[in-house]
Amino acid sequence: MRKNIVAGNWKMNTTVPEGVQLADDLVNLLKGTKANCDVVICTPFTHLCAVAAILEGSPVCLGAENCARHDKGAYTGEVSAAMVRSTGADYVILGHSERRQYFGENNEELSEKLRLALDNGLRPIFCVGEVLEQREDGSFNEVVAGQLEPLFNLPVDDFKKVIIAYEPVWAIGTGKTATADQAEDMHAFIRKQVEEKFGKQVAEATSILYGGSCKPGNARELFAKPDVDGGLIGGAALKAADFMGIIEAFS
Ligand code: PGA
């Protein structure tokens, strides 16, 4: 069966010492408890090595928030998938709506990043989600289906390593969560798309996370839905106790 996962996305927050402290706080909160889900924290590139050292021996896995579309060379300021992997990270977020919106990431670029992430042994957490206008004009399913295309060009064995995160852009950092029913409808739609492309067995094994103002107070209701397999958490991942509260929604 598919895994339940709670993944944190720190975005561009915390200095390295602050991030090390946050990771350490989380590891301490998890000590002596048994999380009923996989736990991942995705940090800025600068934090990966230091946070990897903190997470060693703990159940918490590490991820990056992005990687370059090229494998190496004269791309000043870029960080490759191989570099991310060499820090000890196992995951990488790709296609976050903020990358799509502010950095113009499109399906072509995301296909290249997916290829490099997978070739370097990273598991992509691939984000999709509509903006408010698309929610209101009813085109959201079509929009998300289009965003899934880079995944559907992967060989099935690569696709199986991917985690999908549905993050309605209007719910990210706004305090306005999708209702559990809205999330479930979209997750079921995404699973159906996966089934049409790769078959029922693969679709049933794919973890689909919800993201967008997920908090300890609403996580349980969201995660109770049959097609919601956990969360990608922004703001609430910046406080160890809040993140822990979301992890505990799987109990
Ligand atoms: P949020 O962010 O939890 O702060 O809404 C989620 C995300 O963007 O991954």
Side-chain angles (χ1 to χ4, degrees), residues 12-24:
M12 198 173 75
N13 292 297
T14 75
T15 61
V16 174
E18 287 164 354
V20 164
Q21 184 66 54
L22 177 56
D24 197 45

Side-chain angles (χ1 to χ4, degrees), residues 27-249:
V27 167
N28 284 326
L29 283 175
L30 277 162
K31 264 188 197 140
T33 64
K34 165 124 187 45
N36 289 314
C37 59
D38 286 1
V39 179
V40 182
I41 51 179
C42 299
T43 80
F45 294 132
T46 42
H47 298 38
L48 290 170
C49 285
V51 171
I54 300 289
L55 299 185
E56 214 172 308
S58 86
V60 184
C61 295
L62 181 64
E65 300 171 14
N66 181 29
C67 70
R69 72 189 293 186
H70 305 286
D71 69 341
K72 64 166 127 173
Y75 301 102
T76 302
E78 287 293 278
V79 176
S80 72
M83 292 172 188
V84 168
R85 183 67 177 145
S86 71
T87 66
D90 290 312
Y91 294 83
V92 62
I93 296 173
L94 291 178
H96 190 279
S97 65
E98 288 147 18
R99 304 277 335 158
R100 294 175 187 269
Q101 199 178 340
Y102 307 138
F103 303 96
E105 291 193 359
N106 55 24
N107 282 2
E108 188 197 343
E109 178 168 357
L110 288 169
S111 294
E112 293 169 7
K113 292 187 176 197
L114 276 169
R115 184 74 273 131
L116 288 163
L118 288 160
D119 285 351
N120 284 285
L122 293 168
R123 295 194 60 181
I125 301 173
F126 189 82
C127 304
V128 296
E130 79 285 358
V131 300
L132 183 59
E133 194 190 346
Q134 295 159 339
R135 171 57 53 177
E136 287 174 348
D137 72 15
S139 63
F140 46 92
N141 281 351
E142 196 185 313
V143 167
V144 168
Q147 291 172 334
L148 289 168
E149 264 167 38
L151 297 181
F152 293 165
N153 294 324
L154 293 172
V156 64
D157 285 335
D158 279 338
F159 177 81
K160 286 179 181 167
K161 300 184 183 115
V162 174
I163 296 151
I164 298 173
Y166 168 59
E167 301 201 300
V169 179
W170 46 272
I172 295 178
T174 57
K176 191 176 166 206
T177 324
T179 65
D181 286 336
Q182 282 174 324
E184 171 59 22
D185 285 352
M186 180 57 88
H187 284 225
F189 171 76
I190 292 171
R191 202 176 304 286
K192 191 87 204 141
Q193 304 296 301
V194 175
E195 183 180 332
E196 276 166 22
K197 175 67 195 175
F198 293 114
K200 193 164 180 67
Q201 212 180 338
V202 174
E204 286 300 321
T206 302
S207 296
I208 307 176
L209 314 185
Y210 168 80
S213 299
C214 187
K215 303 206 160 39
N218 58 28
R220 199 173 288 270
E221 191 190 351
L222 286 158
F223 298 173
K225 291 291 177 185
D227 288 293
V228 179
D229 309 312
L232 181 57
I233 318 299
L238 295 173
K239 286 202 185 110
D242 286 353
F243 194 58
M244 188 67 195
I246 296 172
I247 294 166
E248 284 169 343

